[in-house]
Amino acid sequence: MATLKNSFQRPLTVMLGFAALIIVLEVSGLKFDLAETFFSWEGERWSLRNHFITKTILHETVRWLNIVAVLGLLLVTVYQYIGRPFATDKHRYALLLISVLFSFGLVNYFKYILGMDCPWDLQQFGGSQPYVPLWQFRPEDQAAGRCFPAGHSSIGFAWIALYFFWRQRYPHRARKAFVTALIIGFILGLSQQLRGAHFFIDDVTTAFICWCIPAIIFHIGDANASVQR
């Protein structure tokens, strides 16, 4: 019990530190600075909101490619249990699939319950909604947003789970997967920021969530597999 408790102390410390960072960014207003810069560059309007590259390619097309990737992972995972029934590592494919799906699900759940607005919805960026901070209750007559954390960048960040999948046997491959997932996530996040759909902190929060989930799932899953052997 003491070992299990100690193994979660560091992640818990990191989580509390990140929560403190979110509060600082909210209180200071720093998260608005980059959005205001993009808004100014685009002529005091979100001129890239419906651009072919930011909307059609980096938003819609990438979303469909991610669905294909997830379905591919599902098929590979099913094969591990049907085609390799005696393999000792097949549980790791299940952990990978669970991590990816849970990352998408939790990010979208937080978007739903927190109800934060996108920059394009806010009065200071040409929208109609007054800004309501994260810790304040939204007025009953004000519609809830769905913009925190960032859902689209999770298409990249959710695959941070590949780092935990490969780190034991293929550490070099794991590091490449980690960096690639971060790059894709932040590129997709930047495209959404240019459209006025998110603040930069929305994407940073999503990246953090998508790191925490596989870290916990693989820690528990691998520990249970070791006990059962």
Side-chain angles (χ1 to χ4, degrees):
M1 182 66 69
T3 302
L4 182 62
K5 179 180 178 181
N6 292 336
S7 68
F8 280 102
Q9 283 182 345
R10 184 175 180 181
L12 180 60
T13 301
V14 173
M15 292 177 191
L16 291 174
F18 185 79
L21 173 63
I22 293 294
I23 293 174
V24 169
L25 290 172
E26 277 286 337
V27 171
S28 65
L30 289 175
K31 76 174 192 176
F32 289 98
D33 293 344
L34 187 57
E36 289 173 351
T37 299
F38 289 151
F39 190 63
S40 177
W41 284 350
E42 295 177 38
E44 301 297 322
R45 61 190 181 93
W46 299 111
S47 59
L48 296 178
R49 179 169 180 172
N50 295 310
H51 193 277
F52 177 75
I53 293 177
T54 55
K55 182 179 180 181
T56 304
I57 296 180
L58 292 177
H59 190 260
E60 297 174 357
T61 303
V62 169
R63 184 171 56 193
W64 281 108
L65 289 174
N66 182 65
I67 292 173
V68 172
V70 172
L71 290 175
L73 175 58
L74 174 61
L75 292 175
V76 170
T77 303
V78 171
Y79 170 76
Q80 300 305 310
Y81 284 84
I82 296 177
R84 302 174 65 233
F86 301 107
T88 58
D89 64 341
K90 63 181 183 295
H91 76 282
R92 295 183 62 77
Y93 289 86
L95 297 178
L96 176 60
L97 179 62
I98 292 170
S99 296
V100 170
L101 293 178
F102 199 68
S103 294
F104 294 140
L106 191 60
V107 167
N108 279 282
Y109 175 71
F110 282 144
K111 288 177 63 175
Y112 176 76
I113 65 171
L114 295 177
M116 297 294 290
D117 293 306
C118 303
W120 65 36
D121 294 322
L122 300 177
Q123 293 173 348
Q124 64 201 92
F125 297 113
S128 59
Q129 301 277 51
Y131 178 67
V132 179
L134 182 61
W135 57 83
Q136 287 187 9
F137 288 108
R138 181 175 296 270
E140 293 183 0
D141 60 347
Q142 185 173 340
R146 296 289 184 269
C147 294
F148 178 81
H152 193 60
S153 60
S154 68
I155 289 175
F157 295 139
W159 295 97
I160 289 174
L162 284 170
Y163 167 78
F164 297 93
F165 177 73
W166 278 322
R167 67 174 177 173
Q168 293 182 355
R169 297 182 60 182
Y170 307 104
H172 184 64
R173 186 185 300 178
R175 288 191 291 270
K176 283 186 175 181
F178 181 77
V179 172
T180 301
L182 286 181
I183 291 173
I184 294 174
F186 280 116
I187 288 175
L188 296 178
L190 178 59
S191 72
Q192 288 293 85
Q193 292 173 45
L194 290 170
R195 297 181 68 221
H198 288 291
F199 294 102
F200 81 93
I201 194 60
D202 303 353
D203 297 300
V204 175
T205 302
T206 296
F208 181 72
I209 292 172
C210 292
W211 172 83
C212 289
I213 289 173
I216 294 171
I217 288 176
F218 274 88
H219 176 82
I220 296 174
D222 285 339
N224 288 337
S226 297
V227 171
Q228 294 173 5
R229 287 173 188 168

